[in-house]
Amino acid sequence: MAEKQGLNGAYYGPAIPPPRHYHRPGRGSSCCGCCCLVTFLLKVIFTVLALVGLFILVVWLIFRPINKVKLHVTDVALTEFNHTNNMLRYNLTFNVNIRNPNKKIGIYYDRIEAKAFYEGQRFHYQSLTPFYQGHKNTTVLNVVFNGQQPVTLQGQELTQFNSEKASGLYSITLELSLRVRFKLGKVKTTRFKPKIECDDLKIPLNGLSSAGSSGKCDIKF
């Protein structure tokens, strides 16, 4: 290859080739995809935080001390409670008041499961009709347990039953498992599952009894 010379015969070396520009395909689209993913994740996080905040606000409004939902066993009727040959026969009725004192919050009771226990053993289960409870409203639930169920009582449990049989006053626990939603204006919360325990009930055999102060029930989440 001939070397290039200037007009005056001076030598300037070989010609310098023009610079080459390299292009990496797909880099712009990759950056765009990453930005879109980050934006989507931020939106999801903000949405979840907003829903959690709304849920906490509604629960606080309902269960703060001045507006707490109250449950109370008002009346109990026990006409049969007999245990022989490890078989418990019973006829038992509860009236339970549920009070919603809130002015702007309604409650959907989507599922209500009533259970009766004696000496820690469940002897009856019943599903009640779902309902909606409006603002500042009191609803009365009528819970009836009637039938027979195998229940094994031994040792101290059997001694306790014989003692209560002699006195005619039985210690029976009522438990309500709920699935509820709250309505604040047009907003409805997700479902959650509180448990109601009425475990300080002293129920006399044969006759209608007012539960009195012992009929108060505890709400647990």
Side-chain angles (χ1 to χ4, degrees):
M1 180 181 293
E3 295 181 348
K4 189 174 180 180
Q5 296 182 348
L7 294 177
N8 57 0
Y11 173 71
Y12 295 99
I16 299 175
R20 297 181 181 180
H21 299 282
Y22 296 94
H23 176 69
R24 296 181 181 179
R27 185 172 181 177
S29 60
S30 175
C31 291
C32 179
C34 291
C35 293
C36 293
L37 178 60
V38 171
T39 302
F40 173 75
L41 291 176
L42 288 175
K43 289 181 178 179
V44 170
I45 293 173
F46 288 144
T47 301
V48 171
L49 290 176
L51 292 176
V52 171
L54 176 62
F55 174 77
I56 294 174
L57 174 62
V58 171
V59 172
W60 179 79
L61 288 172
I62 293 172
F63 291 100
R64 59 182 175 165
I66 60 174
N67 282 338
K68 187 176 181 180
V69 173
K70 298 178 181 179
L71 292 96
H72 191 90
V73 177
T74 56
D75 302 298
V76 184
L78 179 63
T79 58
E80 183 181 11
F81 204 74
N82 187 30
H83 183 264
T84 55
N85 299 323
N86 290 328
M87 184 68 67
L88 181 65
R89 294 174 178 82
Y90 50 88
N91 192 347
L92 177 63
T93 302
F94 292 95
N95 284 334
V96 183
N97 278 15
I98 303 179
R99 175 65 180 172
N100 175 18
N102 298 279
K103 295 181 179 180
K104 297 182 179 180
I105 298 175
I107 306 174
Y108 289 93
Y109 294 85
D110 295 326
R111 179 179 295 179
I112 310 170
E113 298 175 348
K115 306 169 188 177
F117 293 83
Y118 183 76
E119 289 296 319
Q121 300 186 55
R122 191 183 78 180
F123 63 87
H124 200 104
Y125 164 91
Q126 181 184 6
S127 292
L128 304 181
T129 303
F131 67 95
Y132 171 75
Q133 186 177 40
H135 317 141
K136 297 186 71 66
N137 180 268
T138 299
T139 303
V140 179
L141 299 181
N142 183 252
V143 186
V144 179
F145 300 121
N146 183 18
Q148 60 182 23
Q149 182 71 21
V151 173
T152 301
L153 299 177
Q154 296 178 342
Q156 182 61 36
E157 296 173 346
L158 185 58
T159 301
Q160 179 68 22
F161 175 81
N162 290 330
S163 175
E164 293 184 347
K165 183 178 180 180
S167 66
L169 194 66
Y170 295 91
S171 301
I172 300 174
T173 297
L174 172 66
E175 182 180 293
L176 300 175
S177 297
L178 308 179
R179 183 173 294 181
V180 301
R181 293 173 294 152
F182 298 105
K183 180 181 178 183
L184 177 60
K186 295 183 179 180
V187 178
K188 297 177 183 177
T189 67
T190 186
R191 292 182 178 90
F192 66 102
K193 305 173 183 180
K195 181 181 291 185
I196 314 301
E197 291 185 357
C198 311
D199 56 2
D200 191 25
L201 302 175
K202 307 297 182 182
I203 305 173
L205 182 64
N206 295 324
L208 182 65
S209 173
S210 175
S213 60
S214 64
K216 293 182 179 180
C217 305
D218 297 324
I219 301 176
K220 298 182 179 180
F221 292 90

